[in-house]
Amino acid sequence: MASGVEVDPTLVKDYEEMKLRSTWSYLISKINDSKEKIVNDDGLARQPCSGNDKEANKAIFDSLKGYLDDQEPRYIVFDFRFTTEEGKIVNKLAFIFWCSDNCKINKKMLYAASKDNLRKQFKGLASEVQANDKGDLDYDEIIKGMK
């Protein structure tokens, strides 16, 4: 079921820049107050990429979790950086749909109905994660799903 909520072209442009140039460790987006567009959430300053340092990447991910509110769903793209079993350093983008069990039902429905429209705009994602509580946001478990 599509919601009719459009994706802001600026958000798509920022995603493409993140994907091609590794400019940020993450993007966070939300549905604006008028419920017409999915836009960048400017409430949290974007972190520049941490290079290939897994521990720095994990620290950024952990700080991002602290920003998430149990009452407000968010769409997140995170640039995970890790070493494969073969010793190769890789980075992969994961789409995370944060929608706490504590969110109001109308917000849950609107965000869930709008998710596919956003996902179609974000080409080249390695995985998708549905997170309903912060326990679902385990850095190492998400990476295991991408290997």
Side-chain angles (χ1 to χ4, degrees):
M1 174 178 127
S3 69
V5 176
E6 296 178 19
V7 178
D8 185 349
T10 302
L11 179 59
V12 177
K13 178 180 165 270
D14 288 348
Y15 169 76
E16 289 297 325
E17 187 173 326
M18 177 184 180
K19 180 175 77 171
L20 297 173
R21 296 189 180 88
S22 295
T23 48
W24 302 290
S25 292
Y26 56 81
L27 288 175
I28 301 177
S29 52
K30 65 179 183 175
I31 297 175
N32 66 2
D33 293 339
S34 62
K35 298 181 175 94
E36 295 172 352
K37 282 189 178 181
I38 301 172
V39 299
N40 280 319
D41 181 353
D42 295 325
L44 182 65
R46 295 183 197 155
Q47 293 286 327
C49 268
S50 59
N52 293 322
D53 181 359
K54 179 184 175 187
E55 292 307 313
N57 189 243
K58 186 174 182 176
I60 291 170
F61 185 75
D62 288 341
S63 70
L64 169 68
K65 290 191 302 188
Y67 168 76
L68 299 174
D69 183 333
D70 279 353
Q71 301 299 317
E72 298 295 330
R74 290 293 182 265
Y75 306 113
I76 303 160
V77 176
F78 194 88
D79 188 351
F80 286 89
R81 295 173 177 259
F82 56 93
T83 304
T84 65
E85 292 174 3
E86 296 81 29
K88 181 180 175 186
I89 298 171
V90 296
N91 69 306
K92 292 189 177 183
L93 299 176
F95 181 84
I96 302 168
F97 176 36
W98 166 253
C99 190
S100 167
D101 290 330
N102 298 323
C103 289
K104 292 184 179 179
I105 191 70
N106 60 339
K107 283 187 179 184
K108 286 181 184 183
M109 291 174 60
L110 178 62
Y111 273 77
S114 303
K115 179 181 72 150
D116 286 340
N117 193 24
L118 179 61
R119 280 279 286 123
K120 288 176 186 173
Q121 301 290 321
F122 289 171
K123 308 229 186 309
L125 294 165
S127 71
E128 181 174 332
V129 176
Q130 166 90 27
N132 299 102
D133 66 52
K134 291 189 180 172
D136 295 334
L137 296 171
D138 183 286
Y139 182 88
D140 293 319
E141 287 299 315
I142 294 171
I143 286 178
K144 280 183 191 174
M146 289 190 281
K147 288 186 176 179

